């Protein structure tokens, strides 16, 4: 085990930066809301089977996490587990005081390489999860799942299978959605969408655009791509599909011949160049624009972003809310497509392969990703056992930590969250960052007027194929 990790550690540390734009966004998941310890625990089989036995020898588990106390309410959560399982104590090892996922993963890699006792660990994104599973860091959970009699793809909104096995259960559920300035919508006579397409999104953006020059209000703002990060914004019409949402296929070949990649480029060009309804890419890069400022300062009426923003949409000290906010689901490509499919960030909660208490560690992971998420009261759980009423209660708790929760259309927020579903996880390649950088550079040539869409697709595919071939040598 240690030998395998020693050989793979340098690769693992390098890959910590993959999907940096998305990974860093997890640092925004903190909430100042009160804990939801008073919530009634869901009456399901998951709750009764998840805990350890009340008797038996004392067991001490060590949980390694990037989650801060403010964002995860750890003390109350772990105390609740200990109260239910008095023979089990879970010691928290907090890897970053500020919740920095990249810093945390580097420290976690070093802890594993040095042979520290680790029983439960958390990964913040599919790349980190897949890469560390490949290095033998997480134990397969399939036997435990079979014994408990459930399937992860049915019990949770996020399917965590990798190469046919389950190595983690999903904790929180942060789907991407669209934040809307409802005052701007009312002014334009537009309803809050409950099910819409990218064509309709573009039409809304066009109608919401107002003014000219420095005071112009754009219909929307896309915060990427940037230096190979925030690549979600170049997959808009790919990542709302059940499968094939990445630039690489599961077998490692290029997916850039997917027509939805070209359609995404066409959408971005149309909105920026023809409709002039999205903030120019050149402005985003040259002025280093921040998506929060663009939305809260009313420079853009719509913002497609992850629901880590739940903790902020009611306004904060630094960015107060001065208008009404509503939420719409991630758009579809066609009216007949399945609704609610969207990129999702979650916590991948795993049992360490090196743990000497795998069964107790699994029992904690199962409890934490089910009943424990309700006890924690900080995020929407990925567990399907949580009712809509409970989601509404958790949202109330989260919004109570913002300055003006009364300005948020809670109904549209809850409906969007409970109807969202994650796309299939595709294990990223070790050279994923190279792929992202190449596609980003070709997009810049397109959006800055140096090549057309067909040439962009052709060049991007050629460069990605070359990267794939070089890494097979």
């Amino acid at each position: 085990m240690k030998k395998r990790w020693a050989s793979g550690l340098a690769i693992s540390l390098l890959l910590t930066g993959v999907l940096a734009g998305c990974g860093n966004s997890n640092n925004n998941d903190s909430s100042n809301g009160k804990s939801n310890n008073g919530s009634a625990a869901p009456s399901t089989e998951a709750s009764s089977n998840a805990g350890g036995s009340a008797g038996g020898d004392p067991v001490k588990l060590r949980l390694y996490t990037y989650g801060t106390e403010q964002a995860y309410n750890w003390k109350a959560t772990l105390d609740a587990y200990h109260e239910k399982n008095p023979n089990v104590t879970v010691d928290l090892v907090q890897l970053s005081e500020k919740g920095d996922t990249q810093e945390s993963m580097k420290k976690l890699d070093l802890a594993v390489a040095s042979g520290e006792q680790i029983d439960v660990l958390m990964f913040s994104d599919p790349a980190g999860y897949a890469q560390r599973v490949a290095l033998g860091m997480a134990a397969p959970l399939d036997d435990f799942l079979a014994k408990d009699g459930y399937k992860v793809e049915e019990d949770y909104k996020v399917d965590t299978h990798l190469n046919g096995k389950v190595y983690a259960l999903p904790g929180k559920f942060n789907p991407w959605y669209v934040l809307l300035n409802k005052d701007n919508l009312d002014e334009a006579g537009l309803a809050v969408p409950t099910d819409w397409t990218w064509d309709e999104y573009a039409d809304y953006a066009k109608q919401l655009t107002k003014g000219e020059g420095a005071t112009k209000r754009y219909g929307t703002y896309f915060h990427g791509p940037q230096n190979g990060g925030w690549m979600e914004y170049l997959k808009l019409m790919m990542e709302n599909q059940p499968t094939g949402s990445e630039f690489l296929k599961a077998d490692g070949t290029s997916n850039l011949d997917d027509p939805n990649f070209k359609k995404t480029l066409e959408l971005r060009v149309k909105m920026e160049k023809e409709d002039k309804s999205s903030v120019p890419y050149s402005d985003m890069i040259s002025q280093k624009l921040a998506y929060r400022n663009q939305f809260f300062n009313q420079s853009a009426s719509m913002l497609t972003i992850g629901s880590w923003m739940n903790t902020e949409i009611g306004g904060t000290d630094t960015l107060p809310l001065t208008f009404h906010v509503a939420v719409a689901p991630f758009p579809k490509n066609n009216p007949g497509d399945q609704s609610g499919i969207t990129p999702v960030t979650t916590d991948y909660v795993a049992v360490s392969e090196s743990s000497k208490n795998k069964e107790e560690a699994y029992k904690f992971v199962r409890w934490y990703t089910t009943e424990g998420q309700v006890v924690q009261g900080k995020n929407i759980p990925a567990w399907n056992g949580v009712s809509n009423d409970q989601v509404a209660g958790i949202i109330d708790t989260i919004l109570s930590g913002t300055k003006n929760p009364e300005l948020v259309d809670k109904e549209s927020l809850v409906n969007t969250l409970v109807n969202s579903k994650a796309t299939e996880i595709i294990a990223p390649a070790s050279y994923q960052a190279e792929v992202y950088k190449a596609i980003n550079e070709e997009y810049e040539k397109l959006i800055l007027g140096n090549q057309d869409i067909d040439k962009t697709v052709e060049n991007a595919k050629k460069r990605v194929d070359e990267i794939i071939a070089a890494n097979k040598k």
Side-chain angles (χ1 to χ4, degrees):
M1 171 69 186
K2 290 183 184 178
K3 183 177 180 181
R4 185 180 181 186
W5 256 91
S7 63
L9 184 58
I11 295 175
S12 179
L13 290 174
L14 176 63
L15 290 167
T16 302
V18 172
L19 294 173
C22 179
N24 285 345
S25 66
N26 286 332
N27 299 340
N28 300 318
D29 287 343
S30 62
S31 166
N32 294 323
K34 298 176 182 177
S35 66
N36 197 29
N37 295 339
S39 298
S43 178
T44 73
E45 213 169 301
S47 297
S48 61
N49 288 346
S53 59
D57 296 332
V59 175
K60 181 174 288 189
L61 302 175
R62 286 166 62 87
L63 164 62
Y64 280 60
T65 179
Y66 42 80
T68 63
E69 174 63 27
Q70 181 187 32
Y72 283 78
N73 197 21
W74 283 122
K75 186 179 187 308
T77 304
L78 299 184
D79 283 351
Y81 189 73
H82 182 65
E83 183 177 352
K84 187 171 183 175
N85 305 273
N87 65 310
V88 180
T89 301
V90 182
D91 287 346
L92 186 72
V93 179
Q94 203 166 305
L95 296 166
S96 172
E97 292 183 1
K98 56 184 182 292
D100 186 316
T101 55
Q102 294 190 44
E103 175 191 2
S104 296
M105 289 302 97
K106 289 177 181 178
K107 289 183 177 179
L108 179 62
D109 292 345
L110 292 172
V112 171
S114 63
E116 293 183 22
Q117 179 198 339
I118 305 173
D119 298 289
V120 179
L121 32 78
M122 292 169 60
F123 311 119
S124 66
D125 61 81
Y129 170 47
Q131 295 294 349
R132 287 164 180 82
V133 165
L135 290 168
M137 189 174 195
L141 304 180
D142 301 84
D143 289 346
F144 294 119
L145 271 63
K147 183 178 178 181
D148 280 355
Y150 69 93
K151 296 180 179 179
V152 68
E153 65 270 27
E154 295 175 356
D155 246 32
Y156 298 88
K157 292 183 176 68
V158 180
D159 185 350
T160 55
H161 276 89
L162 281 175
N163 301 318
K165 292 187 176 182
V166 174
Y167 295 88
L169 298 180
K172 68 186 178 188
F173 182 69
N174 278 349
W176 278 54
Y177 53 25
V178 181
L179 294 181
L180 307 163
N181 184 319
K182 192 172 184 301
D183 292 351
N184 293 168
L185 262 66
D186 291 344
E187 177 187 56
L190 298 170
V192 175
T194 56
D195 188 35
W196 58 341
T197 65
W198 280 113
D199 285 343
E200 291 170 319
Y201 181 99
D203 182 59
Y204 265 53
K206 192 173 181 179
Q207 294 188 60
L208 291 166
T209 299
K210 186 177 181 179
E212 294 293 339
T215 60
K216 180 176 180 178
R217 184 188 77 201
Y218 288 91
T220 195
Y221 173 73
F222 294 118
H223 192 60
Q226 295 188 47
N227 300 316
W230 292 100
M231 296 298 286
E232 294 88 353
Y233 294 101
L234 283 187
K235 299 184 294 178
L236 296 174
M237 301 181 78
M238 298 172 68
E239 55 202 353
N240 58 9
Q241 302 298 301
T243 61
S245 62
E246 254 294 352
F247 296 127
L248 298 179
K249 297 177 183 178
D251 62 5
T253 59
S254 169
N255 195 30
L256 296 184
D257 54 358
D258 184 333
N260 289 323
F261 172 57
K262 182 178 179 180
K263 288 178 181 178
T264 299
L265 299 179
E266 291 171 341
L267 176 74
R268 293 293 304 270
V269 170
K270 178 182 183 295
M271 293 184 69
E272 178 173 331
K273 303 298 185 181
E274 297 176 26
D275 298 346
K276 301 187 186 304
S277 61
S278 65
V279 177
Y281 181 83
S282 58
D283 288 359
M284 180 196 73
I285 297 298
S286 63
Q287 299 176 32
K288 298 181 179 179
L289 298 178
Y291 62 83
R292 291 175 177 83
N293 299 70
Q294 288 294 298
F295 185 70
F296 286 104
N297 293 342
Q298 302 195 64
S299 298
S301 298
M302 301 192 298
L303 175 66
T304 302
I305 199 68
S307 58
W308 57 80
M309 288 298 294
N310 289 346
T311 60
E312 303 175 51
I313 59 176
T316 62
D317 288 331
T318 54
L319 287 169
L321 180 62
T322 58
F323 53 90
H324 292 86
V325 171
V327 180
F330 198 78
K332 306 184 297 187
N333 295 347
N334 306 295
D337 289 352
Q338 184 178 351
S339 300
I341 301 178
T342 179
V344 168
T345 58
T346 188
D347 295 319
Y348 298 87
V349 192
V351 173
S352 173
E353 178 60 50
S354 65
S355 174
K356 297 179 180 178
N357 296 291
K358 286 188 176 67
E359 184 171 359
E360 286 296 344
Y362 161 75
K363 289 176 180 177
F364 170 77
V365 169
R366 175 61 170 164
W367 176 88
Y368 173 72
T369 59
T370 54
E371 180 183 336
Q373 288 294 292
V374 181
V375 172
Q376 197 169 59
K378 286 291 189 179
N379 293 286
I380 303 304
W383 183 42
N384 284 323
V386 176
S387 69
N388 289 4
D389 288 343
Q390 286 173 309
V391 171
I394 295 171
I395 287 296
D396 281 336
T397 301
I398 293 171
L399 292 179
S400 70
T402 64
K403 295 297 182 182
N404 294 102
E406 73 281 358
L407 294 178
V408 178
D409 181 350
K410 191 182 84 170
E411 182 180 0
S412 68
L413 173 58
V414 171
N415 288 341
T416 296
L417 293 172
V418 299
N419 290 311
S420 295
K421 309 169 194 68
T423 56
E424 177 190 40
I425 295 176
I426 297 176
S430 60
Y431 46 87
Q432 195 94 6
E434 295 178 66
V435 169
Y436 284 174
K437 185 173 182 291
I439 297 172
N440 194 153
E441 288 172 355
E442 294 305 319
Y443 173 75
E444 284 196 352
K445 295 174 188 176
L446 165 68
I447 206 66
L448 298 178
N450 297 320
Q451 67 185 15
D452 62 22
I453 290 175
D454 287 336
K455 195 65 176 176
T456 299
V457 173
E458 178 186 342
N459 288 350
K461 190 173 189 314
K462 179 182 178 183
R463 291 182 64 180
V464 168
D465 286 340
E466 288 171 351
I467 292 169
I468 293 170
N471 281 276
K472 285 184 177 179
K473 294 177 180 179

